[in-house]
Amino acid sequence: MDFNYSNPKPIISRKSVASNVPIVKQVAWISIIPQLAILFLIGLIWYLCGAENPVFPTAATYLGLGFMLRNIVAKDHRRGMQLVKKPAYMEAIPFFESSYQYFTANAWVDKYRYLTLLSSSGMCYREMALCNIAFCYSQIGEGQKARAYYQRVLEVYPNNGLAQTALRMMESVEKQAE
């Protein structure tokens, strides 16, 4: 028996979480090493330029650079996340699809995101895009599409705990409905 996923209500109520969206932040701690190296180089540049106290301009430069890179290079991903937090799930899907296409075409940017985006994310942007598309479909009542995207995530990223958990939850809901 197929379970009907037509209920468009979110998994977590608005009262329980401010943004209404479960956000998983996985950090690749090893990425801190190259980021510290970049931070050191920026500090060295400020020092060599004669900055009296290079700590503040170094921090400002690093933060500004990271903000700029994530807003320019990963703009579709960020726009999709903004829409998910509204919640405007249907409108977010094309942005995540566009993000997936960009990071597929420019795989080196995603692979070296620790340097190219100053991102410490343990999940690559392509993986995040597929998970976010699946999540959006689950929230608008398109359970079969959500399942297909979660399965696609596991085909490419077999250790993705988010997709594994989501699929187990969907199976559990289906069994309860029987």
Side-chain angles (χ1 to χ4, degrees):
M1 176 175 141
D2 241 6
F3 184 75
N4 183 0
Y5 292 98
S6 61
N7 185 355
K9 291 185 180 180
I11 293 172
I12 297 177
S13 72
R14 183 172 279 290
K15 293 178 185 175
S16 65
V17 176
S19 70
N20 196 30
V21 178
I23 295 178
V24 176
K25 297 212 177 203
Q26 297 176 347
V27 176
W29 293 105
I30 194 75
S31 71
I32 291 178
I33 294 169
Q35 289 188 19
L36 286 175
I38 291 170
L39 191 62
F40 176 78
L41 287 173
I42 293 170
L44 182 62
I45 291 169
W46 278 109
Y47 176 77
L48 293 175
C49 288
E52 195 171 303
N53 184 1
V55 173
F56 295 111
T58 299
T61 303
Y62 180 82
L63 292 172
L65 184 61
F67 181 78
M68 182 183 69
L69 288 170
R70 286 187 291 272
N71 279 306
I72 292 172
V73 177
K75 67 181 182 294
D76 288 332
H77 174 79
R78 291 185 70 80
R79 181 66 182 134
M81 290 306 296
Q82 289 169 348
L83 289 167
V84 163
K85 290 177 183 178
K86 276 190 175 182
Y89 303 113
M90 190 65 163
E91 292 84 0
I93 293 170
F95 287 99
F96 291 128
E97 289 172 342
S98 178
S99 176
Y100 180 80
Q101 291 168 357
Y102 173 80
F103 286 109
T104 298
N106 300 285
W108 66 273
V109 174
D110 202 8
K111 182 177 182 180
Y112 300 110
R113 66 191 167 281
Y114 314 118
L115 300 172
T116 58
L117 300 171
L118 299 179
S119 171
S120 295
S121 175
M123 221 188 267
C124 70
Y125 278 85
R126 288 175 290 174
E127 187 175 2
M128 284 189 273
L130 292 174
C131 286
N132 288 330
I133 292 168
F135 174 75
C136 287
Y137 277 126
S138 73
Q139 296 304 295
I140 61 173
E142 297 280 343
Q144 296 308 320
K145 286 183 181 179
R147 179 186 302 278
Y149 270 96
Y150 282 129
Q151 288 170 339
R152 184 172 168 191
V153 170
L154 291 177
E155 287 171 9
V156 183
Y157 309 99
N159 296 324
N160 184 291
L162 191 64
Q164 291 170 349
T165 302
L167 286 171
R168 278 195 304 268
M169 185 181 73
M170 292 172 102
E171 290 170 10
S172 174
V173 169
E174 288 173 348
K175 286 179 183 176
Q176 287 180 353
E178 290 177 354

